Structures are given as structure tokens and as C-alpha cells.
Amino acid sequence: MAAERLRGRASGAFKMHGLLLRAEAAKYLTEALQAVSEAELEDMIENIIDAVEKQPLSCNMIERSTVEAAVLECSQSSDETIVHIFNIIGAFDIPQYIYNSERKKFLPLSMTSHPAPNLFGSAKDKAELFRERYVILQQRTHRHELFTPSAIGTHPDESQSKFQLKTIETLLGKSARVGEVIVLGMITQLKEGKFFLEDPTGVVQLDLSKAISFMCYFAPYPGVYFHSGLYTESCFVLTEGWYEDGIFHVNAFGFPPTESSATTRAYYGNTNFFGGPSSTSVKASAKLKQLEEENEDAMFVFLSDVWLDQVEVLEKLRIMFSGYASMPPTCFFFCGNFSSAPYGKTRIQSLKGSLKALADIICEYPSIHQSSRFVFVPGPEDPGPSCILPRPPLTENITEEFREQVPFSVFTTNPCRVQYCTQEIIIFREDLVSKMCRNCVRFPSSNMDIPNHFVKTILSQGHLTPLPLYVSPVYWAYDYTLRTYPLPDVIVFADKYDPFTVTNTDCLCINPGSFPRSGFSFKVFYPSNKTVEDSKLQSL
């Protein structure tokens, strides 16, 4: 393609995004694109523009240095792709993005005025924690088909089926009765026995005497229901009702609608929210997708409550390793607690001895020792700094001997993230189901379907712990590490509750259950076809 025509095509594409190329930048880009085939040219230009927009830009005039960095990023070799196949991402390595309401996009922390996160957060960090949760759910809800304004000229019946979110500030400013409104806010209990709804504009007391707690019904459109869930304090809800004399009388509760990962990425492009070495989302990589589909033997094994101080548990692990020796899994994920009696002054030494015993068993099976990886996620009662999330990995003085014997082992944070080819997996070890059930504003009428209630709540909230901070403490500045937005492919809830497998909004949610308490059951995940196999070690 002629240089002038190529230059015009590239400059035109940048102008479509509101960007202008300086002469030197346009000249460099034209030279860089000369080697690109006609079929790949358009995609390459779009990828370069995406890479440019991710950089901190002071104005819309693009310098040569900015274009050089973008071209370099888009020219990743196949060798770098191999590095991106399998990665364990600790909570403190997850990138932070802040939603900008004016630009309607997520910006990396470096492009905002927010300070770097600190374990010893300030009062502002605590306020930002809830504000960020609210803003993410608000922008997601506004995009849902039921809450988007009708286009001009649409049929009147279609306009009537749309809803409009109100803020608490608009209610507090009314002296007369306000009927049939929907408000997005957080449930709080500011006074003993009295619940309130809170958003960034204000707070209003709730009257729940007439609320339909679990099948949310919006009066203007009888066909619309939001699925049931576990309504706890500090979770965000869509509240339908009327306002009068300072009280919001609730007719129905519902959660903000969930949104699939594909829908979210259609709005925000290839931004890598998940973390890992890739500069863009791995979802966009055709090479990784091909590798994922071709490797049908890939297998992940998940176990929780691996009590290494119990002889019976070690024997069951030996049986499991012997069964997998002929076809070693890609990775074993062991979640804590790693001791059945996590207390006493000798617990550190005891845990080191237990890990040594596990390493000896692994070394008995050379195929597993050489081919499989081992990832350890600490539990709430394992040695470490209290129960505040995110929790750092087990300390090096405990794990040093094990890592020397088993080189392919990783001791990571709780929660942690796993990126395998194009798939994104979150692993979280916490007894969350019982905590959420205990802290429900109103418990479900039937407890037969608790896993579905639980999964719906977590995905709707876009957060792993939608609970009050006194129930589930979080480092305020690191609350973003607990987000489940955009939705990953798989979430592993390593909970002592009964094992379950639930799929919701294209997100597979797994609970392997407590290994010793559930009769030595565990879960096996096959990434190539996204299936889960329930497994159990039977007594001999």
C-alpha cells in the first residue's frame, strides 16, 4: 500500500477516536505499518489505538514516543505468548482501576489522583471502598435493557416497560408522597433494629413490613423478576416502594442485574482488569484460545481444608497421587486450613513438619513431582496476620523446606487469581456461606437452594464479601482485590459448606467442600471444555 494512503488511513482511524498524530508520530507509524498485510491492517491499527489510549495522555496530540510504546506493545512475539499460558496472581499484584463517571470508562490508578494503596488506610479509603462498589454497580445497572432510556420515537408500550433509578437525595427533597420509585443503595443498620438505605447522596430509613424479600416484583412491569438471594447488611439492592414522611416503604427487594464478561468487555475493550503479565486481556488472544482448546489433557484439582496434621488426610492424598500418577494434573490447588488444631505455641513447627511429610509423599511419585504444579492458598486459621482480607501467603520460614523439595510450588494470597490461556479463575478460601446466612436481613423461606442464593448474591454484588466490615474485615485500600467484575470464568469458593457446582451468567462457581468433613471429596476442573467432575476418595 502506498505510504500516503497508509498514512491517511492511520490518521483517520486516530481522528475517529478523537486523537491527532503529530507529523513525526504519523511518519513513524506509517513506516511500522508497511510490513503489515492488508487483511491484518485494520486490526493492527485498532490495537495500536487501544494501546495508546491506555497510556497517561495529557492532551489529544499524540507524540512519537507514545506511538513507539504502543507499536512495541502490539508487536509481542510468540515467545511472550508462551509466558502468558499459566500464571498465579497474588491479591497484592492485581491492577487497580478507578471508574471515571465523566469519561464513562475505567482508568488505571496511575492516571488518577488517587494515592497508591496502603495497608494502613485512611478514613477516606473506607469511604471510597463503598463509593467504588456503588459506582460500579450503578454504571452496570444503567446499561441493563430495563434501565436504559427508550429511543426517541419508540412505541409508548415499550417506554412504559423501562425503569428509572432515583437517588436518595431526590426523595429527601420531597415533602409530598412519592409513589413507585426504584432506588439503588446499600442496606445499613444505623440504629438497633432499624434498617436504612444509603447511597452517596444521603440515607433514608426503611419500612420492611411489606417487603417481598426474595422474588422481587416491580409493579409497573409484572413480568420482571430478579432472582432470590441472601440479603445482608452492606449489600447493594434495588429497592422498589414509595416515600412518605421521611420513611421509604419497601414493596420489593432485588439485586442489581448481573452482566456477563463478554458484555462488560464489549464496553471496555481489551483492558486487563484481571492482572498478570499480559498488557491486554487474554480473552483477545487467538493463540492462547487455540492452545487452550488443543490441550484437552489440562486438569485442575481443587481441595479445601487439607489438614496435613491428620494421618488419615495424608494417606488419602497418597491414594489420590497414586491414582493420578499415570496422568498428572496440570495443577493441584490446596486451600487451608492446613491444620485441624490451629493453635498452641508449637503450631508453626507442627505445620513445617506437616508440609515436610506432604513433600515426601509427592516425591514418591516422580511423574507428579516433575509435571504438576502445587498452589497453596491459606485459610482463615492458618498462621498469619489476623483474619483481615486479602490475606498474605504463608511465611517463607514455614514453606522454605517444602519449596526446596517441590520446586513447582507456589504459596500465594487469599484470595488469589489464576490465568490459564484465556480463562480467568478466582480462588477464595473463606467460610462465607454460613456468615452470609447468619447476617441475612431476612432468611430465605427455603434453605434447600442455598448455593444458588449464595452465588446469585456474590455475582450481583460484584464482590466476594458483601458483608459489614465488622463481620468480614478488609484492608480498606485493597478492597478492589475482592471484586468479581468483570466476571471471571470460574470462581472457587473453598467453603466448609456442602460441595456444589452452580453456573450463573456464564460464570462457573465451584465449592469443593471441606476435604476431611465431606468424606474426602474434591473437584476436578477441565479447562478445555469447562466441565467439573465431582470426585471422592472411598474408604478401602
Side-chain angles (χ1 to χ4, degrees), residues 396-415:
E396 290 188 5
N397 69 308
I398 296 176
T399 63
E400 185 177 8
E401 290 183 32
F402 183 91
R403 286 184 284 110
E404 287 176 356
Q405 282 188 266
V406 186
F408 296 127
S409 59
V410 177
F411 289 82
T412 186
T413 60
N414 180 30

Side-chain angles (χ1 to χ4, degrees), residues 201-445:
T201 67
V203 60
V204 65
Q205 186 175 334
L206 297 177
D207 172 19
L208 303 179
S209 58
K210 298 180 181 178
I212 306 168
S213 353
F214 292 81
M215 286 300 281
C216 184
Y217 163 75
F218 288 119
Y221 193 51
V224 177
Y225 291 91
F226 281 100
H227 288 291
S228 51
L230 301 174
Y231 294 85
T232 65
E233 288 182 56
S234 294
C235 76
F236 289 87
V237 292
L238 290 169
T239 310
E240 189 261 344
W242 79 95
Y243 173 79
E244 188 175 22
D245 296 332
I247 305 292
F248 190 18
H249 302 270
V250 181
N251 286 334
F253 267 152
F255 284 128
T258 53
E259 182 178 82
S260 68
S261 174
T263 304
T264 304
R265 296 184 192 284
Y267 286 98
Y268 299 118
N270 293 332
T271 303
N272 184 8
F273 294 97
F274 195 74
S278 177
S279 56
T280 57
S281 172
V282 291
K283 295 286 184 185
S285 174
K287 292 179 181 177
L288 289 176
K289 186 65 178 176
Q290 182 181 354
L291 287 169
E292 177 187 309
E293 293 173 348
E294 289 175 352
N295 188 11
E296 296 180 357
D297 295 331
M299 183 195 318
F300 295 157
V301 179
F302 297 100
L303 299 88
S304 180
D305 269 352
V306 186
W307 293 344
L308 298 176
D309 60 334
Q310 295 283 327
V311 175
E312 189 178 11
V313 170
L314 291 175
E315 285 303 315
K316 292 296 183 182
L317 291 177
R318 180 179 272 109
I319 294 171
M320 183 178 71
F321 291 145
S322 66
Y324 282 123
S326 59
M327 187 178 287
T330 308
C331 188
F332 289 93
F333 292 91
F334 294 130
C335 301
N337 302 313
F338 296 115
S339 175
S340 59
Y343 45 79
K345 62 183 180 181
T346 61
R347 67 172 182 161
I348 301 292
Q349 200 60 38
S350 174
L351 182 54
K352 289 175 70 174
S354 300
L355 285 170
K356 176 70 168 60
L358 176 62
D360 291 339
I361 294 173
I362 293 171
C363 291
E364 292 175 13
Y365 302 93
S367 59
I368 290 178
H369 180 257
Q370 295 166 14
S371 304
S372 298
R373 294 171 182 253
F374 297 85
V375 176
F376 293 82
V377 180
E381 295 180 346
D382 285 321
S386 68
C387 57
I388 305 175
L389 296 170
R391 187 181 177 91
L394 293 175
T395 55
E396 290 188 5
N397 69 308
I398 296 176
T399 63
E400 185 177 8
E401 290 183 32
F402 183 91
R403 286 184 284 110
E404 287 176 356
Q405 282 188 266
V406 186
F408 296 127
S409 59
V410 177
F411 289 82
T412 186
T413 60
N414 180 30
C416 72
R417 298 184 175 188
V418 180
Q419 174 253 314
Y420 172 75
C421 292
T422 66
Q423 294 197 32
E424 299 172 341
I425 303 170
I426 294 177
I427 302 175
F428 185 40
R429 172 63 185 99
E430 184 71 24
D431 294 328
L432 198 58
V433 176
S434 59
K435 281 186 179 181
M436 292 191 67
C437 289
R438 283 199 307 268
N439 289 276
C440 276
V441 173
R442 203 173 283 180
F443 195 72
S445 56

Side-chain angles (χ1 to χ4, degrees), residues 134-148 163 165 182 184 226 238 255-259 460 485:
Y134 174 85
V135 168
I136 288 174
L137 296 179
Q138 183 191 44
Q139 58 88 25
R140 193 181 76 187
T141 303
H142 276 308
R143 283 204 305 273
H144 192 270
E145 59 183 356
L146 294 174
F147 295 92
T148 50
F163 305 119
L165 287 181
I182 300 173
L184 174 65
F226 281 100
L238 290 169
F255 284 128
T258 53
E259 182 178 82
S460 297
Y485 183 81

